[in-house]
Structure formats: structure tokens, C-alpha cells
Amino acid sequence: MSFIRRLFLPLLTAVAVLFGSVLVAAPARADEVISDQASITKAADWIAQQWADGTYTTGDAGLLADGIMALASARQHHDTMEEMVAGLEQVGPTYVINRADALAKVILTADIAGVEDPAHFFGPDRDLVQELIDYVNAKKAPQAWGGYLATIALSRLGRLDDVSDEGMTYLMSRMIITKDGGFGWYAAAPTGDPDYTGIGISAMLLLSRDDEVAARYREEAATKLASGIAWTENAANRFTNDDGDYFWMASFGGADGASSNSTGMVASALAEAGVNIESPKRAMKKEQAATDSGAAWSNTRMGTRDDIRATVQAIFAITGAGYATADWDDYKRDITVGTAEISGTAKVGEKLTVTSTGWEPADVTLSYAWFRDGAQLPGIDTASYTVSKYNIGKKMTVKVTASADGYADASVTTAPTATVVGMTLKTAKPTISGTRQVGHTLTAKAGSWTSGTKLSYQWYRDGKKLTGYTKSTFALTQYSLGKTLTVQVIGTKDGYESASVTSAKTAKVKAGTLKSATPKISGTTKVGSKLTAKAGSWTSGTKLSYQWYRDGKKLNGYTKSTFTLTKYSKGKKLSVHVTGKKAGYTTVTTHSARTAAVK
């Protein structure tokens, strides 16, 4: 028995869907438009359920192939698809007898399903691809679908260049453009057929991009591709529902065919060619919702009866991946996701370690990526990490990714750590030295801190911050009189948490003591002469005032530094008192010696 064994390759389709259960979801109302994902999952679940129930069997090999391609396009129910592929392997040899179209469809189906070697799908003794090439070269692909399917199958496998020139000419003649520009099954057909136009677009898309094929065939394919796309865009070839969304539907002898089949073929081909198909997708979702299951499609326009053949082709319209691009050759099973958590202290210099358990299979290989506030740390890919200074103020997480042969990678991310803090500085309580008196300077002594710590200072007066006073010394002025002082020492160092310690408060600051001097009087002690008081050296900034005395009696009004001797001073002795005042200091008055008696 053959199983899916293709080497893992990049996706050819942009559709990515989650694995759904085989239970068919409850029908949606026909007036509701669900998401693409929900529509695909409903349909894939329904197909898988029909297979599980035995309703869908290997009795019709062509329909079986359609179902395999439908699940591959949906990328759901891989196990079911494998069973169906095994069934096709059994019934296929009879199905392809003397039929180039059937042979091409089997090859195409095997390739879409990810069979490792589609050419030997029936076993090592048969080369199906070479058989198909021989049919084409012998011009023995008369079936209506033969040319299209052969072109798609051989192009997907990179074997079109093995077809002879006569064979290529024959193939091109089997893919017919009708009089109105669509694709059909005979040259004289006046109008194109949507089913043939859909598969024709897929075939021409691949052929026009196949660099191994002669340029003239690529050019012809490009012309036919443009013609086919233009045909689908012609309103005369479309139908429109009550919501204004368009779709395609074939007619046979005047009777309408199934819009689901036709639109599935056309819309998926257009999507592969880069054409927007949102409108036909909406139309198909409406038809899906109208069926009994709300998951399948009917073989009549807006019909209610679920139909397998309609469903396995209509689903292509929603996935947007049809014969040209549908692929599941990179299938991998799901890993059961485990848990992961970080242990350790979120602090600079400490080691954090992630522990991850609960993965299935148990022999998965784990890889690690560390993140700081969501930004990945380059080059950090081990289970343990020593916290650096650059993480301070941030939270750490780890993304743990599990990988195993035959499984899709799976990941889990830990909860974040606490906010990272720096190391702890060694600190000391500062002390203040110096005389607590206006006019003196206080000095802060920080004590012993961690080596290399940068220290700064902040002075406080009666507990209030003194803005700008950030040196280790503080000069006591009048504003500190009667108040207490403290100093806060702030330490910072790279990789450490900053720290601050405040000193004990000082005693209240006392008033300052002025420096003073005994004044002296100069001048001649004779009536008419002027005496001058010289105060001497006082504390800078001291405001001095004078008061003259005669024979020890205060002379009111005489408060200048000079005194003119008049007749009233004759025979008397003069003296002067100098008073010094300065804010924050105790007032001081000094007295001069008396002069000689005035003559």
C-alpha cells in the first residue's frame, strides 16, 4: 500500500487551515456569510464524515480522486485523505485502462496529495508519467478533458518538455478556444463552457510559466489564458444572485447544471491566476448555507440536498487552490504542545532557567529563544540565561519550540518574569561634620559604598529639599538659622539598582559670631577740626553703624563715621561706639578709647 511520503517542500498554495473534527457543524442560515476558514472546515468535515460513514466509497475512481484533491486543497483530514489515496491505488489501475484523461487525473491527484513519486503510484513496474507522455505523443488523448489534465499533470511534475513537438501541438489543439473566447470541448462550439474554461485557465497558467517548454507554446498559452480570463469577466457568461454576487453555471441541452461544480473550477483557477474572487466565494457560501447540512453543496442552484460531487469541486472556490496549485506534499503531524516556565530570580547576575515538559511525542528536540519585553535576544538559544544589565526594567520570556521528524514544529511561550532589577549596592549611612553655626560649612561623609559607585548628594533643611544644593558641602547662611540639616546620598552604578541613604539630622543651627574690631578715632582734637572713626576689620558683609559720645554721654543724631568739633566739645573727650549687624549673626557693639580733651 502506498502512503503519503513526499519530501517536505514549500507550500504552493496560500491557503492555510486548521485540522477540523469529522463532526459536521450545525448549518448556518442562508443569509449569513461565514468566514473562508469556517466554510472550508465545514465542507472538509462533511467529506470526511461521508467517507467514515461509508457513503463515499471507491466505487467511482474519478469522484474518489476529486475528494482526495478537495481535502488536500483544504489541508484538512490528512488521515482520511491517506485512506482515500490507498483506495485510489487499488481501483486506479482499472480506471486508467486506455484512458489518457483518467491516467492524467490519477497522476495529478497523487501529486496534489503529496505522494512521493506519482509516476510509480501503482508500483515500481509502471511509469505512469511516461505512459501519459506516450499517449500524448501518439495523439491518443481524445477525451474531452484529456488535453487539459495531461497538460496540468505533466507541467506540475516538470515533464512537459519530454513531450515531442508533435505531441505539444496535439495537446494545444485539444485545449479549444470557442468562438466567444472561452474554453470548450469542440472547436465549433459557439460559446465557452465554465467547467472547461476553469480547467483551461489552470492548464494555460502552468504552461505559460513553464520555462522548459518552447517559447511558442508558452506564448500561445498566454494568449489563451488571457482569453479565458476575459471570458469569465464577461457579464454575459456570469449569473448573479440576489445579493449581487456573481457565479458561473454550465448548461446542458438548455438545462442548468450545477453552479457549485462550475464555480469551483472557475473561481479556483482565477485565484491561481491572481484574480480577485471574493464575490463568487460569497455566492458559494450562500449556496453552502442553503443545504440541509449547511456544510456541503448541492448539485442544483441553491438546492438543499447535500451532494458529494458538487462539494468536492465547490470547495476549490473557497480555498482558492485548484488543479494548478493545490498541494499537500509538506504534510506534518501535529505535536502535542507542552508547558514551559522560567525559574530563577529576575535580577542582574542571576541565572534564569526554562523548564519545558509535556510534549508528545516525548523525544522532541527543544530549541529556545529568549525575549526581553517582546524583543528577541540574538544568539541566546540555551535553556539558561544569566541576566545582564541591559534587561533592567524589563520582563523576560522564552519561546520554546519543539521539532520532530514527520511533525510540524510547535511552540509555547512562557509567562513573563517579574521586572528585572539590578544588583544591590553596598551602602552606608552618611554623617555630617562641621560647626552648626551660620557662617560655617557642613561636610557630608558618604561612608563605604560598593567600589565604583557614583555618589551624588541632596541637602534638606527641616526636611524640605533644597533645590540645587547637591554638593558634599553646605555653607550655613542666615536661612538655616534655627533649623536642622540632613543630607541624602544617592549611589548609582551600571548594572545595580540605585540606592539612597539619608543622614541623621543636625542640631539646630545657631547664629553666627561676627568678627569685630575696636574702633579708632583719628583727627586733631581742636574746635573746628573733624574727627573720623575707623571701624577696623569686621566679618564681610557686616552693616556698621556709629554713635558718638562726649564725656561718656550719648550725642543723639551723631551717627556718622565723622564728627566736627564745635565749641560745645571744648574741654571734653570724645569716643565712638561701632555696632555691627548681619543677618544670621549676633549683633556686636565695640567702643573706642576716649580722645584727649578738645582745645
Side-chain angles (χ1 to χ4, degrees), residues 148 175-178 180-185 191-194 196-198 200-201 204 224-225 227-229 231:
Y148 300 101
M175 295 179 285
I176 301 163
I177 290 290
T178 58
D180 64 351
F183 284 87
W185 63 89
T191 59
D193 175 87
Y196 283 88
T197 299
I201 290 172
M204 295 304 101
K224 288 185 175 182
L225 173 63
S227 178
I229 292 175
W231 184 91

Side-chain angles (χ1 to χ4, degrees), residues 348 392 422-426 450 492-498:
V348 173
I392 292 177
M423 291 183 281
T424 302
L425 286 171
K426 173 190 173 186
T450 300
T492 58
K493 185 177 181 181
D494 210 13
Y496 288 74
E497 289 293 295
S498 61

Side-chain angles (χ1 to χ4, degrees), residues 511-554:
T513 300
L514 286 174
K515 173 189 174 185
S516 61
T518 300
K520 295 181 180 181
I521 300 173
S522 63
T524 303
T525 53
K526 183 178 180 180
V527 172
S529 297
K530 180 185 290 186
L531 300 178
T532 299
K534 295 183 179 180
S537 178
W538 290 67
T539 299
S540 176
T542 302
K543 184 178 180 181
L544 300 176
S545 62
Y546 301 84
Q547 177 60 59
W548 288 89
Y549 288 80
R550 188 163 53 206
D551 280 352
K553 293 182 180 179
K554 181 179 178 181

Side-chain angles (χ1 to χ4, degrees), residues 9 40 65 193 226 330 390 395 400 441 484 522 592:
L9 299 171
I40 293 165
D193 175 87
D330 64 341
Y390 303 106
K395 296 181 179 181
V400 181
T441 296
T484 60
S522 63
S592 71

